[in-house]
Amino acid sequence: MRKFFLSVLMLAILTVGENYAQSALAKWEVNGMTGFGPSPFAPYASDPNITTSGLIRGHGVTTNPTAAANAWGGNSWINSGAAVTREQAVTNGDYFYVTIKANPGYLLSLSKVQIARYRRSGTGPELLGFQYSIDGVNFLSSGSLNLSSTNSSGATTAGNTVSGTSILQNVPATTTVTFRYVAYRNTTGGGATGTFYVFNDAGDDFMIFGTVTPVAPSATIATSALSAANFCQGAAVTVPYTTTGTF
């Protein structure tokens, strides 16, 4: 009976720990959005101990003429009919990004970035490269989302897991993390009118998962000069003692 109880208790602890590690630090909802949405686009809910920039379009992304309803994004992700590499897309500003940092007194650990559902046109991007940076200048790439569907109802994605990325764990409040999604395609057929959106899903539509934990307080020990006068006054006192160990 005791063994069974301990097993149940351990399972409960692991479940709570997993849920805690996967808590959404910031959540975005595009339902009801029109006109491609604002940039920056603030989350509707976020942890009180983090600060985020919101979703921001790159300088190459435009918002004309007509947008899909219940969606955030833009067009001109692909500016020509030729194939476009990820590096070319970065130069062209064909991306969107978001920053996140811990507030003073906290450490930030990140586990996942999730686009719940996307929508794109046939002349839009075929791939969405995922990148991250801790200085906003030097970015590291971590795979790409395959945007194979052009269905008007959109399609889901698996998201991007970063829980095993050491530089994104226990990040101090002095460091801002930037996540960037770069839109590109390996085949011809793109065009300036091509669209990509974070599209409306049944639940939240864009999420950043992780934890924020308080910085452990540092111990300070005050010392001052000591003298025999502080302890012994009057007649001499003999204190017997025994020492052990090597000195």
Side-chain angles (χ1 to χ4, degrees), residues 159-185:
N160 299 93
T161 300
V162 295
S163 55
T165 305
S166 59
I167 64 171
L168 300 181
Q169 311 308 311
N170 296 313
V171 183
T174 53
T175 299
T176 298
V177 176
T178 303
F179 291 118
R180 184 166 71 182
Y181 281 100
V182 183
Y184 65 107
R185 61 185 293 147

Side-chain angles (χ1 to χ4, degrees), residues 49-50 101-108 171-174 212-217:
N49 298 313
I50 64 101
K101 65 178 295 186
N103 290 343
Y106 290 86
L107 297 173
L108 172 68
V171 183
T174 53
V212 280
T213 55
V215 175

Side-chain angles (χ1 to χ4, degrees), residues 24 67 70 74 98 102 107 119 135 139 141 148 152 167 235:
N70 304 314
V98 58
L107 297 173
R119 174 177 168 175
D135 63 8
F139 283 83
S141 296
S148 58
S152 61
I167 64 171

Side-chain angles (χ1 to χ4, degrees), residues 63-87:
T63 54
N64 57 75
T66 304
N70 304 314
W72 182 90
N75 50 24
S76 294
W77 300 93
I78 306 298
N79 296 315
S80 70
V84 177
T85 66
R86 180 165 49 193
E87 292 72 23

Side-chain angles (χ1 to χ4, degrees), residues 174-236:
T174 53
T175 299
T176 298
V177 176
T178 303
F179 291 118
R180 184 166 71 182
Y181 281 100
V182 183
Y184 65 107
R185 61 185 293 147
N186 289 332
T187 65
T188 60
T193 59
T195 58
F196 168 83
Y197 305 97
V198 175
F199 199 51
N200 187 43
D201 197 42
D204 298 317
D205 304 317
F206 187 91
M207 296 147 284
I208 300 176
F209 294 93
T211 60
V212 280
T213 55
V215 175
S218 56
T220 302
I221 301 176
T223 61
S224 60
L226 300 177
S227 68
N230 297 119
F231 298 95
C232 301
Q233 293 182 1

Side-chain angles (χ1 to χ4, degrees), residues 43-173:
Y44 80 87
S46 61
D47 189 285
N49 298 313
I50 64 101
T51 299
T52 176
S53 64
L55 304 184
I56 300 175
R57 285 184 281 264
H59 61 83
V61 182
T62 61
T63 54
N64 57 75
T66 304
N70 304 314
W72 182 90
N75 50 24
S76 294
W77 300 93
I78 306 298
N79 296 315
S80 70
V84 177
T85 66
R86 180 165 49 193
E87 292 72 23
Q88 289 172 325
V90 170
T91 300
N92 295 338
D94 296 334
Y95 53 78
F96 72 92
Y97 67 96
V98 58
T99 68
I100 184 170
K101 65 178 295 186
N103 290 343
Y106 290 86
L107 297 173
L108 172 68
S109 293
L110 297 156
S111 57
K112 189 175 185 179
V113 184
Q114 177 80 56
I115 299 174
R117 181 175 292 271
Y118 74 90
R119 174 177 168 175
R120 77 168 181 94
S121 64
T123 55
E126 296 174 329
L127 296 157
L128 206 59
F130 178 67
Q131 299 181 322
Y132 57 89
S133 171
I134 57 172
D135 63 8
V137 177
N138 301 292
F139 283 83
L140 296 173
S141 296
S142 181
S144 298
L145 297 177
N146 188 349
L147 310 178
S148 58
S149 174
T150 57
N151 194 307
S152 61
S153 63
T156 59
T157 80
N160 299 93
T161 300
V162 295
S163 55
T165 305
S166 59
I167 64 171
L168 300 181
Q169 311 308 311
N170 296 313
V171 183

